[in-house]
Amino acid sequence: MNVRILKDEKAVARAVAARVIATLAAKPTAVLGLPTGRTPVQFYARLRAEYAAGRVDFAQATTFNLDEFLGLSGDHPASYRAFMETHLFEHVNLPRRRIHFLNGVASDPVAECARYEAAIRRAGGIDLQILGIGSNGHIGFNEPGPGLIGDSHPARLAPGTRRSNADLFDGRVQAVPPNALSMGVGTILRSRAIVLVATGVGKAGVIKATVEGLVTTRVPASLLQLHGDVEVFLDGAAASKLLRH
Ligand code: F6R
């Protein structure tokens, strides 16, 4: 993995935005895989600013988000779709028909995941997948366990994951849906290039395990070691436990 340590969260956001801009400049029809969460908030702000300044064009781009809560429709204010509308989609010229999301209220969640995999394949696969990381090592909603599921699938959220999403539900952990739909680790690893982003000292331990530890389903992000084109963008705090950097 190619680790890049930057001064602070703002510099990380700038670097990740620059990576997306370069991808779209080289291939205007690029397919982007996108995360939600606290980590990418500044990155999306930066992309909005770059778009407003005319430095990036989404007119031919396609996006697939990583995950969505099961039981929430895209217009629910706590949905990840709503997050993406607020932080990016409402502000840029990404055509609506090329924004893709797992439908959290699909009547058949398993069929919905199969539909999503087929849509990714039809789009030609993901060119650049941006990822955050849970402090337990999850990517998407692939939580640590004795095994992992390759393709998109319904996933049960770890208790800590529900706690860290409580802010979206006015701080009420019980209101966070216990299940989600998520790309699988195979879906993620089939992306042509992957950027993993982490900031803050709270992620330092899991970043060490991801980058320097064994490849294990107990730290799902460690499977990224198996991919040939992964960049890890960190601030100094998230990188603070790495020995080799
Ligand atoms: C969100 C997602 C999650 C988050 C992870 C980190 O779409 O797939 O894996 O990236 O939980 O979340 P933050 O950035 O809030 O620490």
Side-chain angles (χ1 to χ4, degrees):
M1 291 197 219
N2 179 5
V3 177
R4 293 184 52 189
I5 302 168
L6 297 141
K7 193 172 91 227
D8 53 22
E9 214 179 325
K10 212 167 168 175
V12 170
R14 247 196 326 267
V16 180
R19 184 72 171 78
V20 169
I21 292 167
T23 299
L24 285 170
K27 183 179 179 184
T29 59
V31 178
L32 306 173
L34 298 175
T36 59
R38 269 177 293 278
T39 312
V41 166
Q42 288 205 35
F43 150 63
Y44 289 132
R46 182 75 195 185
L47 267 190
R48 295 197 302 272
E50 297 280 8
Y51 174 74
R55 287 193 287 264
V56 58
D57 181 11
F58 294 91
Q60 299 180 69
T62 295
T63 65
F64 286 88
N65 263 80
L66 275 162
D67 38 27
E68 181 59 282
F69 293 112
L70 192 59
L72 295 197
S73 68
D75 54 11
H76 189 289
S79 69
Y80 281 168
R81 171 71 192 231
F83 173 99
M84 289 305 301
E85 292 292 341
T86 304
H87 290 274
L88 187 68
F89 297 157
E90 281 173 4
H91 309 274
V92 299
N93 67 336
L94 189 60
R96 296 261 129 198
R97 67 182 182 287
R98 286 208 288 272
I99 294 173
H100 298 273
F101 243 92
L102 284 153
N103 176 7
V105 291
S107 57
D108 181 343
V110 172
E112 169 60 8
C113 292
R115 179 198 68 78
Y116 207 57
E117 288 290 332
I120 294 171
R121 273 197 305 277
R122 250 196 329 273
I126 295 170
D127 290 299
L128 179 65
Q129 173 70 62
I130 317 274
L131 297 172
I133 181 170
S135 44
N136 65 357
H138 73 214
I139 45 176
F141 279 136
N142 296 279
E143 302 283 19
L148 293 170
I149 298 174
D151 287 345
S152 296
H153 59 279
R156 190 153 193 85
L157 304 189
T161 303
R162 291 183 74 198
R163 278 195 298 279
S164 63
N165 277 275
D167 281 357
L168 290 170
F169 299 84
D170 303 320
R172 291 171 305 128
V173 181
Q174 286 315 313
V176 180
N179 296 293
L181 301 179
S182 177
M183 285 188 194
V185 284
T187 326
I188 292 168
L189 290 171
R190 282 190 289 276
S191 308
R192 280 182 272 279
I194 298 174
V195 164
L196 177 69
V197 189
T199 54
V201 72
K203 299 284 171 71
V206 78
I207 283 298
K208 180 178 172 55
T210 295
V211 174
E212 296 180 343
L214 295 175
V215 175
T216 166
T217 62
R218 300 288 174 189
V219 182
S222 69
L223 272 80
L224 298 174
Q225 291 181 30
L226 303 175
H227 191 282
D229 187 353
V230 179
E231 281 176 289
V232 185
F233 288 81
L234 306 172
D235 65 357
S240 58
K241 293 198 172 149
L242 292 180
L243 293 179
R244 295 198 292 269
H245 293 88

